[in-house]
Amino acid sequence: VLVSTQDGPEPALQARRLLAPFRIPSYRLLAAGKLVSHAGDWLPVAALMGWIYETTGSTAQTSLLLLVRLVPPIVGGGLAAVVVDRLPKDRLLAAVELARGLALGAALVAVQGGSRVGVLAALAVSGGLAAISNASVPALLPGLLPAEDLPAANAGVGVAKDLAMAVGAAGGGVALATVGVAPALAVDLGTFALAFLLFCFLRVEAVPATPRAEREHGGFRYLLARPPLLLLVLSFAAATLATGLTNATFPSLFSSL
């Protein structure tokens, strides 16, 4: 939903304003890297959901896999923001992609060894790292763009994320059906390698760090002081979990058709 509140004869929402951030090379690298990274994030989730259901026939095990992947970013979002504010954000983003690639490699080893516990542990680590990655992006944008372009920049990254989720999930299902889970995960390692390379070329101006007291408590206090906003955040978290758990029933549903 887009709402314009600007007064005056010139409309506040214009296509050129939404595309303005893409004139900055570093923003193009960031958007492309997040598109590749998010696609690489959801491809293994879809493939491993199918693998878990094929090997166990249990929707409970499939739901557990989704919970293990979805809960760490939700629960660890506040902590991730504190971590991001303490470290160089551009190098942190590249390092996180490298670490997520290593976590995916561990999941691949676990799949080949038939270890569901190992797969779940690797996904949990990847989910925690995803929280840091997600917190890094909005923290990076003020060092890439002028203030008037930040709303459009955030929207562009959000569109890239949603598109990547759809492409990655579909790609995971196709890969599982055609080549199997292990080759699908091996191919997916390339997405994290590509995202890592793209983020290595980011050039970000220094952004002043948030004061310590505000960094540690400001975000939580801000939410607690605004019950409608807190309710909205919790509602989105609940909706995300509910959607994931619903998706976990699809393998059982479609196998019975």
Side-chain angles (χ1 to χ4, degrees):
V1 177
L2 297 177
V3 180
S4 172
T5 59
Q6 176 175 311
D7 297 326
E10 184 180 1
L13 283 178
Q14 296 179 337
R16 63 180 177 81
R17 292 185 178 181
L18 296 177
L19 297 176
F22 289 94
R23 73 181 186 274
I24 306 297
S26 286
Y27 178 76
R28 294 198 296 269
L29 286 173
L30 178 64
K34 291 306 294 180
L35 178 66
V36 173
S37 174
H38 281 301
D41 195 14
W42 286 98
L43 190 154
V45 171
L48 289 170
M49 280 177 58
W51 174 74
I52 286 283
Y53 187 76
E54 283 182 356
T55 55
T56 66
S58 169
T59 55
Q61 291 282 341
T62 309
S63 299
L64 178 61
L65 182 142
L66 278 174
L67 280 174
V68 165
R69 174 56 185 84
L70 293 175
V71 168
I74 295 173
V75 175
L79 178 60
V82 175
V83 172
V84 166
D85 204 54
R86 293 175 180 270
L87 299 172
K89 299 170 183 60
D90 49 347
R91 285 181 286 177
L92 175 63
L93 193 58
V96 165
E97 293 305 310
L98 183 60
R100 295 181 73 196
L102 294 175
L104 181 63
L108 175 57
V109 172
V111 165
Q112 292 177 323
S115 172
R116 291 192 296 275
V117 173
V119 168
L120 295 176
L123 276 185
V125 171
S126 180
L129 292 170
I132 298 176
S133 179
N134 292 338
S136 298
V137 173
L140 272 172
L141 291 178
L144 297 178
L145 301 161
E148 61 269 18
D149 287 340
L150 293 180
N154 279 297
V157 172
V159 170
K161 178 179 179 179
D162 291 340
L163 177 62
M165 288 174 63
V167 172
V174 171
L176 178 66
T178 54
V179 298
V181 63
L185 296 182
V187 170
D188 190 49
L189 286 171
T191 64
F192 289 106
L194 178 57
F196 169 75
L197 291 175
L198 290 171
F199 293 148
C200 282
F201 288 99
L202 285 176
R203 295 293 179 266
V204 183
E205 295 181 5
V207 178
T210 308
R212 180 174 179 179
E214 182 179 348
R215 179 173 63 223
E216 294 179 352
H217 305 294
F220 295 110
R221 288 178 176 172
Y222 187 88
L223 284 176
L224 292 175
R226 293 161 176 80
L229 182 59
L230 178 61
L231 178 62
L232 181 64
V233 171
L234 294 176
S235 297
F236 271 108
T240 300
L241 285 175
T243 301
L245 293 177
T246 300
N247 291 342
T249 67
F250 286 165
S252 176
L253 174 63
F254 289 120
S255 65
S256 63
L257 296 179

